[in-house]
Amino acid sequence: MDAERAAAHKDILYGAIWLVVGIAITFSGIGLITYGAIIYGLFRLFKGLSNTNIL
């Protein structure tokens, strides 16, 4: 049970990092739109939240 909870928290952390980095790169003015990073970040974030029963 603790391993599942740790994995869920890891998914939340890495999902949030991918999401923030993807958004930051997209809006930084570089001209690069990073939909993949944003979508992957959202996927991992929601996966982690659903595994911790927050969602």
Side-chain angles (χ1 to χ4, degrees), residues 15-55:
I17 290 170
W18 275 97
L19 179 63
V20 169
V21 169
I23 291 171
I25 291 172
T26 298
F27 290 115
S28 67
I30 295 174
L32 181 66
I33 301 172
T34 56
Y35 289 124
I38 295 169
I39 292 168
Y40 180 68
L42 285 172
F43 171 75
R44 285 207 52 182
L45 182 64
F46 284 122
K47 178 182 168 191
L49 289 173
S50 68
N51 287 338
T52 59
N53 296 325
I54 293 174
L55 279 180

